Amino acid sequence: MAKSWYIINTYAGYEKKIERTVNLLLKTAELDSSIVTDVKLPAQDVKIVKEDGKTTTRSELMMPGYLMLEMDLPELGWKDTCNKIRHIQGVSGFVGTNPNERPRPISNAEAKNILQKSGDIKGSSVSARVQTVYSIGDAVKIIDGPFATFNGTVEDISPEKEKLRVSVHIFGRATSVELDLKQVVSASSSN
């Protein structure tokens, strides 16, 4: 038997409670720790750039409504373990299977991809995903750099690079400039 990752579907907002419950069942030996070997609730840090240019970071679930279980399911007796998991309050079942079927694991590549993105694999470097409050067409004021004090309009957003392309009027002509998210604030918040 080999260990594989399985996905269970949960009610929205119950993910952390179910993770705690599974860990408690493992600790009290109600679930066999040689069968259920790991529980993951993949989360990723999200950097939020506010209109005033300040950034905050928060952890956000990568797969809301889902939880990952690493299990070494035996050929005989798998139903007992799976039924205990299915009967945890807030669990809808295993993804892709009916209650009477043996759950199907996700592929090793899928599991590795999810765990790398969440930083759960040792040695994987994960940068925080950036979420901005700006939209294309928003009016912004530049507060830093050679164009400080100029107003402009957002033309393009590159959250992964933490950059904005802003159209600024210089000498009567619209000119596109690329700026860091920290170099601008919302024009409405600067008044």
Side-chain angles (χ1 to χ4, degrees):
M1 211 43 69
K3 293 180 186 178
S4 297
W5 285 99
Y6 296 81
I7 306 287
I8 58 172
N9 195 348
T10 68
Y11 296 161
Y14 278 66
E15 301 91 350
K16 289 181 182 178
K17 181 181 180 194
I18 293 167
E19 179 187 33
R20 285 191 305 270
T21 302
V22 170
N23 283 322
L24 180 66
L25 292 174
L26 288 168
K27 189 176 180 180
T28 60
E30 289 181 56
L31 276 177
D32 189 343
S33 61
S34 65
I35 296 174
V36 180
T37 56
D38 202 357
V39 182
K40 296 282 185 200
L41 187 56
Q44 186 177 31
D45 286 339
V46 178
K47 250 198 274 188
I48 300 164
V49 181
K50 297 180 181 176
E51 288 184 6
D52 60 4
K54 295 180 182 170
T55 61
T56 59
T57 304
R58 74 166 184 240
S59 184
E60 196 172 90
L61 294 179
M62 290 175 54
M63 304 182 315
Y66 298 95
L67 193 76
M68 293 178 69
L69 295 177
E70 185 180 43
M71 297 192 296
D72 189 2
L73 274 183
E75 289 299 320
L76 299 173
W78 62 266
K79 265 191 173 184
D80 182 47
T81 300
C82 292
N83 283 336
K84 283 181 185 175
I85 293 167
R86 281 188 189 103
H87 286 99
I88 295 172
Q89 183 180 359
V91 172
S92 302
F94 286 86
V95 170
T97 57
N98 293 322
N100 295 332
E101 294 177 356
R102 181 183 168 97
R104 283 182 235 118
I106 60 173
S107 72
N108 289 335
E110 288 174 312
K112 184 178 178 182
N113 184 28
I114 293 167
L115 294 172
Q116 277 181 331
K117 284 181 181 177
S118 67
D120 284 319
I121 293 180
K122 288 183 174 126
S124 63
S125 61
V126 177
S127 59
R129 192 170 53 89
V130 178
Q131 181 178 351
T132 66
V133 294
Y134 301 111
S135 300
I136 293 174
D138 283 354
V140 293
K141 181 175 182 169
I142 302 170
I143 58 168
D144 186 38
F147 301 101
T149 71
F150 279 82
N151 289 330
T153 306
V154 176
E155 291 182 333
D156 189 38
I157 304 168
S158 297
E160 63 281 348
K161 294 180 185 177
E162 298 186 35
K163 301 268 186 196
L164 293 173
R165 192 171 69 235
V166 177
S167 175
V168 179
H169 283 282
I170 303 172
F171 304 119
R173 290 192 167 166
T175 304
S176 286
V177 293
E178 188 174 77
L179 302 165
D180 288 333
L181 289 170
K182 294 178 183 177
Q183 290 182 282
V184 299
V185 294
S186 174
S188 63
S189 69
S190 63
N191 293 337

